[in-house]
Amino acid sequence: MKIRFMVSVFFVLLLSNAFSAPSDAEDHRGNPQDIFRPPQRIVSLVPAVTEELFLLGMGDSIVGVTVYCQRPPEAQVKEKVGTVIDANVEKIIELSPDLVIASPLSGRRQTRKLQRLAINVEVFDEAVDFKGLCENFLRLSRLVKKEEEGRKVIREAKRDLKSISESLGASSSPRVFVQIGANPLFTAKGESFINDLVERARGINIAKDATNGIFSREEVIERNPDIILIATMGIIAEKEKEVWLRYQEINAVNKGRIFTIDSNRVCSPTPVSFVDTVKELVELFHGEQ
Amino acid sequence: MESSRGNIGWVFLLMAILLAVMLFSLAVGAVEIPIRRIFYLLTENCESPERAILLKVRLPRIFLGLGVGGGLAISGVILQGMLRNPLVEPYTLGISGGAALGVCLNIVLGGSAILGSLSTPLSGFLGALGVIFFVYTISSSRGGMRLSRLLLIGVMVSFMASSLIMLVMALSETRDLHGIIFWIMGSLEEPNPWLIKTALFVSVFGAVISFIYSADLNALSLGEEEAFHLGVRVERMKRIIFVIASVVTGCCVAVSGVIGFIGLVVPHLMRLLVGGDHRILVVASFISGAAFLILCDTVARIIIAPMELPVGVITGLVGGVLFIYALSRKDYSF
């Protein structure tokens, strides 16, 4: 009997707790933010966004970045609030920002906590191609009231890409395999920046049809790429190169066309660095042979 | 039961330690707030980022630590007491595996699109309930619940769950993978105050029920038949203990993820300290489980600030070292 009584008390209390629960509203005081004034104190939890803010001339308004925000060099002296995937809520609150920019990789618990504390958090979805990159960049430039500057950067980037494409003329397209991870062998599938980079540099990504990034070495040998690109993972890149050298059957190995590229730049680009990387790839794909 | 009075003294000491740990946890963090200023901030009603840090970042974590740490510790105590096996912990019966599987499926299938932020704890709790129901049904027969069978089936279910989790992880996208791994590692950072209140409430409730049954658990330590002759309704008691331990564990895991080691190490440490009398053991374990988790979480927060370690790293290391040390100092048998 005692137990039954207690169980019913428990549920009554639990329910009463549930009905009084949704107290989000009280936390949202709603900052009376001036819609014409650009944000003055920005925390960026995305390395590419940090770089883009500097591009837009908003570097001085950044008050906090992640430990991975290394570019441009000015970003390195900004206050660190954690990593891309694990931001420190306390640190961010202390900086009292008027805009926090997060990505889907940022811890969800953290971003929700910040939102509950009435801090303006904008989550930027990861772009997978140049088009998405430009959309994100434009959204960012609108947020910081620099739409004109943003449009200008994009216009220039598009113009550069167009002239690259024209300069390539009718040159033949090499078949490319891009390795972005080892053990398991990991590559870039069709829906990714890397695929877009390779295609804009007039290359064919042999793993375009892969459903997820894991790719077998057998498959690489079978598809026989003309070029192997290894995104640098520190020392591993050299080691991986040695592994490939065992497979002389592959065109790329046979002709010595195994290259390394900076993984930071290919995986989290800005419109500007995207164009730079395309130029670099064009050099590798179609340069002197 | 050599010196009950001395043991009650232990309970007061542990209570004092818990309070001290809570204050310490409130006072330290990535942002430095001087102690004197903390008292000012707590008593004066003013708007400042520091006050928000204290009341809305640190305090909720402390309360969740109280609920989860205490809940896991008492689940461990009563399960060890009932199964009379020193290796049992709340996760042994597959509850954490079921919860983790539920959360994995939720992340991969995109449940948050429909249910929002509550989908994760909800799916975790449903996974845990599924396992509890399965284990309970399979291990009960007409003659009642067979404990050795319960234990073995629980262990098998955990293994099956972890295989299925690996399967889900192998098939999922990189982005989801990161969510799954972080959830499994466990964290006391929970933005929803309602979930924190619920977890705290359920574990306090579980502690009260456990306390009511602590005398019966003492009788059971002599053996099932002996307990029956002492007037304990053994079958009913076994069922209630199992359900209470499971629901408390399920709630804790659903809210905070799989934080390991507390349910195993705290009950043993407390047996070393206050002896085998469950009437005191249950209370002592709840208090010290809470203090232990809050302390570990605080260490995890500050040790490499502004970054944070998974709290499980600290509970495992500190708990293991503490336990081995205590064991080597004192003659202990379960």
Side-chain angles (χ1 to χ4, degrees), chain A residues 18 42 45 66-67 73-74 76 88 117 119 129 136 139 151 162 168 171 200 211 217 234 246 262 278 282:
Chain A
I42 307 174
L45 304 178
T66 70
V67 292
E74 294 96 299
Q76 292 169 15
N88 191 303
L117 293 168
I119 289 174
D129 53 15
N136 273 354
R139 177 173 162 209
R151 284 190 188 283
K162 204 168 162 218
L168 281 172
S171 40
R200 282 176 194 273
T211 44
R217 221 173 271 274
R246 279 189 240 141
D262 180 0
V278 171
V282 166

Side-chain angles (χ1 to χ4, degrees), chain A residues 219-231:
Chain A
E219 196 72 37
V220 179
I221 297 171
E222 157 101 12
R223 299 194 183 188
N224 198 9
D226 303 312
I227 290 174
I228 294 176
L229 281 181
I230 304 172

Side-chain angles (χ1 to χ4, degrees), chain A residues 21 88 90 105 109 113 116, chain B residues 56 58 189 191 194 301 306:
Chain A
N88 191 303
E90 281 188 17
L105 281 178
R109 287 167 186 255
K113 181 122 224 170
R116 255 173 203 279
Chain B
K56 292 180 177 166
R58 291 185 190 167
E189 176 81 65
W194 181 74
R301 277 195 295 131

Side-chain angles (χ1 to χ4, degrees), chain A residues 160-168 200 275 278-279 282:
Chain A
D160 285 354
L161 281 180
K162 204 168 162 218
S163 69
I164 290 171
S165 156
E166 280 164 5
S167 73
L168 281 172
R200 282 176 194 273
V275 173
V278 171
K279 282 182 191 156
V282 166

